[in-house]
Amino acid sequence: MTSLVRLDGVTFAYDPARPVLDRVDFTLAAGERVALNGPNGIGKTTLLHLMVGLVLPQAGCIHAFGRERRCEKDFVEVRARAGLLFQDADDQLFCPTVAEDVAFGPLNLGKSKAEARRIVHATLESLGLAGLEERVTHTLSGGQRRLVSLAAVLAMAPEVLLLDEPTNALDEPTRARLLEILGDLPQAMVIVSHDRDVIERLATRTVRLEAGGRLS
Amino acid sequence: MSLPGAPCAGSSILGEGGGVRPPSLVERLDSRTRVILALLFAVALVTGSDVTLLTVGLGLALILALLARLPVVRTLRRMLVLEGFMLVVLALLPFSIPGRVVAEVLGFAASAEGLTRAAQITLKANAITVAVFALLGTLEVVALGRALARLGAPERLVHLFLFTVRYLDVLDREYRRLRLAMRARAFRPATGPHCWCSIGYLFGMLMVRSLERAERIDAAMRCRGFTGRFPCLHEEAESGPGALDWGVGAASTAAVTLLLVMG
Ligand SMILES: Nc1ncnc2c1ncn2[C@@H]1O[C@H](COP(=O)(O)OP(=O)(O)OP(=O)(O)O)[C@@H](O)[C@H]1O
Ligand SMILES: [Mg+2]
């Protein structure tokens, strides 16, 4: 079994007085879709942020794509290969228009403008968002923002998807479509979700995060 | 697929809804022409001092406003802020600048020099404001940023500008959300420690939230491979300046030269 992302005894605290994660072990293997749940404020979002190096652990180590990753520089490559969908879509959309936002990742990866345009077009099309291309991001509805930020992540063609409550704030048809889309994607995923359907229809394995440790 | 640079609905500085009316003469100008024109106009007026010339300048600005089809009421409302300040200047300058006394009010002497100076400042400020509203106010914020970039403004400055615009909006929304949350729990502004304390919390929270959002946006950008350089999706050569731009450019250059020579 080849592991894509592996956390070994990772300990993390924002504030030393209140540790969030205490010696957590977690492995994501190729082809897996792991549902991660647990009570609010237990550290699920933090766990995803650790995987792409947005916060660095105080102890333990993080292996990603066959190498140990320690510092900001190591994680630059990880972020290109593991796409993180933020819990709050508003944080993720910072470019003036939808097209620019979706193109931001591909352009950073060194794609040409023409290529980026093609990717934007194809990605939005596949999510059924073709009409939104030239819209100004902050005028989108909550659900539209969610889907556009997913498009922004998918446009980078990551090998791993880290989705933080992807079905939040979506109406029933949109949610069903998103589940369908996610079900068709080949990538390995970690999905933070309290949504029963997500767990039943998508997940190959469920992990529950509890105070300090973790159990399947 | 719509063209790059095609106007997206409702994000110009004056916040007009994206109507379907044909573009005005000013809107047909290249965004760069408009930036340069506004700059030239401002420089010419700031350096000029002759009251007649400044009046002509104000007239020109009004013509520009007509050409740009500025909404009258909304523009006037925006100008009110400036006029309030102008009133103070107008009221104080004649009495504070020494010179030939032309009138006396309540024992204070008003000087001719002071009056002239007050007139100059009022004319300049109004003419420049109206012209900027006409030329740049109708331009989309994003287009303005891009125009600045294509005119060779430092990349960082342009990003700073665009991010400021983006954050202003976020800040405003955050403020409104907090205010709404307060009102929803029956908060009413009144004098008293409870109110001051709550208002203090409101602004404190606003700052903390903005800072945190900035951090999260930075994280989101790094997640998508941001390393400090902003890629631009739009092609460099969208469209060159047209005949209209060259015409306006030539005419305004001539006018400004004339103005500078005479003033
Ligand atoms: N920037 C921060 N600074 C300090 N503490 C934080 C910060 N972000 C999160 N925390 C704390 O860390 C803990 C874990 O937060 P995290 O966001 O990972 O929870 P979560 O499991 O994702 O919760 P939810 O289900 O509500 O999204 C919480 O107790 C929270 O108070
Ligand atoms: Mg969370």
Side-chain angles (χ1 to χ4, degrees), chain A residues 40-41 43-46 87 164-165 192:
Chain A
N40 289 129
K44 304 179 295 295
T45 299
T46 309
Q87 189 165 357
D164 204 345
E165 313 208 7
V192 173

Side-chain angles (χ1 to χ4, degrees), chain B residues 1-79:
Chain B
M1 190 166 80
S2 57
L3 288 170
C8 333
S11 67
S12 70
I13 293 169
L14 283 188
E16 282 170 279
V20 280
R21 61 202 181 114
S24 67
L25 190 63
V26 169
E27 277 164 342
R28 287 217 305 274
L29 285 177
D30 188 291
S31 45
R32 286 168 296 177
T33 315
R34 287 153 75 172
V35 172
I36 297 177
L37 212 56
L39 212 67
L40 262 183
F41 189 81
V43 169
L45 279 196
V46 167
T47 49
S49 61
D50 188 65
V51 174
T52 338
L53 275 184
L54 291 179
T55 315
V56 172
L58 183 59
L60 273 179
L62 288 176
I63 293 175
L64 273 179
L66 280 182
L67 287 180
R69 279 183 269 165
L70 282 189
V72 178
V73 178
R74 204 180 304 163
T75 312
L76 282 181
R77 208 178 306 139
R78 271 159 209 272
M79 300 279 301

Side-chain angles (χ1 to χ4, degrees), chain A residues 36-40 44 165 167-168 192-197 199:
Chain A
L36 179 66
N37 59 20
N40 289 129
K44 304 179 295 295
E165 313 208 7
T167 53
N168 265 9
V192 173
S193 185
H194 305 286
D195 190 330
R196 264 231 138 66
D197 277 356
I199 297 166

Side-chain angles (χ1 to χ4, degrees), chain B residues 202-217:
Chain B
L202 171 66
F203 282 99
M205 194 46 111
L206 201 60
M207 290 224 209
V208 172
R209 281 208 192 180
S210 312
L211 199 69
E212 283 188 339
R213 188 176 287 278
E215 268 166 13
R216 290 198 305 267
I217 292 177

